[in-house]
Structures are given as C-alpha cells and as structure tokens.
Amino acid sequence: MIRQQIFGKLSYFMREKREIRKCSEYLKYKNHFLKLNRDELISCFISTKNKYEHQKRVLSVVLATIIFSGLGGVWSMVYDFLVRLISVTGSGANMIDGETAFYGVVVACILFGIIIVFALAAIGLYLSSMKDVHRELLIIEEVRKEKNS
C-alpha cells in the first residue's frame, strides 16, 4: 500500500504522465478556442501574438544588456572592487585588518552569487512563460486553420 502511494507520487514526474497532462491541457485549450466565434478568436490571436512578440523584445533587451555589460567592463569593475576590499590598508583609526577585509570579500561574493542566482531564476521563469504563450499561440493558429477550412 505504501509502495503504491510512493509510486503514485513519483509517477507524476514520469514522462508518460507528463505527456498525458500536456495532451489534456492541449485539448482543454483547443476546446476553449473552438467555442469562440471568429471575431473573438482573431482578437485572442492578436493579443496573444502581441504578448509573445513583446516578451521576445524584452528578453532580447535583457540579454543584450548582459552581454554589453560583460563586454563593457562592468565585471572588471566588480573584480577591482573586490581586490580593493582585500588590499585596503590604512593608518591609525582607518586601518582595516586582514580578517575584516576577508569577511567583507566573503559577504560581497555571497551577495553577488545570490544576485546571479536570482537573475538566472528570473530569466528561466520568463522563458517558461514565453514557452506557454507560444504554445497558446500555436493552438490558436491551428484552430483558426480548422475553422477556415
């Protein structure tokens, strides 16, 4: 009994079950769009196409910004900041010992890593959203072809 429950929970991730879920989702979307009249379907197509094209433009701008920042030396400025943080020495009250500088570098690297992880996660979620919109767009195009023929 417990084995069946565990297998049932794990089967959610199996390829066959995913394909079944995708097929049922496809049929649900297709039936929804088949119920729409011609004008509603065209309106839905235009808004979905506009949303997808907007997402593509935004993604292009974000990726171009990341590439140009890499080529433009932003990353070297971050590296220079970390090097300065390590090598900061002063005299008297402004003196920073090696241990404090080391902890500063560790904290800066951890924060920088967290920012990169969140940025990559945001891009991944955005790509997933784009994939869903594109799938919906393809379904609408298929329904339009069926209704026109």
Side-chain angles (χ1 to χ4, degrees):
M1 171 125 178
I2 294 176
R3 184 176 182 173
Q4 290 175 346
Q5 288 177 344
I6 292 173
F7 184 73
K9 302 261 187 220
L10 290 178
S11 69
Y12 178 83
F13 298 106
M14 295 175 71
R15 182 180 177 95
E16 299 157 354
K17 297 291 185 176
R18 281 185 288 159
E19 294 298 325
I20 291 171
R21 284 193 309 273
K22 285 180 184 179
C23 184
S24 66
E25 184 178 335
Y26 163 76
L27 292 174
K28 182 180 87 173
Y29 272 110
K30 186 175 178 182
N31 288 333
H32 168 73
F33 292 127
L34 281 171
K35 291 177 186 175
L36 300 177
N37 65 31
R38 185 177 181 274
D39 292 334
E40 291 172 332
L41 188 63
I42 290 172
S43 174
C44 191
F45 174 76
I46 290 171
S47 65
T48 305
K49 180 81 169 176
N50 186 37
K51 182 178 180 180
Y52 179 69
E53 292 297 326
H54 174 73
Q55 286 180 335
K56 279 188 357 185
R57 284 190 299 271
V58 168
L59 183 65
S60 298
V61 168
V62 168
L63 292 178
T65 302
I66 291 171
I67 290 170
F68 288 135
S69 71
L71 295 175
V74 171
W75 304 115
S76 66
M77 290 171 32
V78 170
Y79 175 76
D80 290 342
F81 169 74
L82 292 175
V83 168
R84 282 189 214 164
L85 194 59
I86 291 172
S87 64
V88 169
T89 56
S91 59
N94 294 333
M95 188 170 153
I96 297 177
D97 63 345
E99 187 176 342
T100 306
F102 173 75
Y103 288 132
V105 169
V106 169
V107 168
C109 287
I110 290 173
L111 289 176
F112 190 66
I114 289 172
I115 289 170
I116 288 176
V117 167
F118 278 121
L120 290 175
I123 290 172
L125 290 173
Y126 195 76
L127 286 172
S128 176
S129 170
M130 278 184 69
K131 184 178 110 180
D132 293 341
V133 171
H134 188 253
R135 183 180 333 129
E136 185 177 333
L137 186 62
L138 292 174
I139 294 171
I140 293 172
E141 287 177 352
E142 180 184 336
V143 169
R144 283 181 67 199
K145 287 179 186 175
E146 280 185 24
K147 284 191 171 191
N148 288 337
S149 57

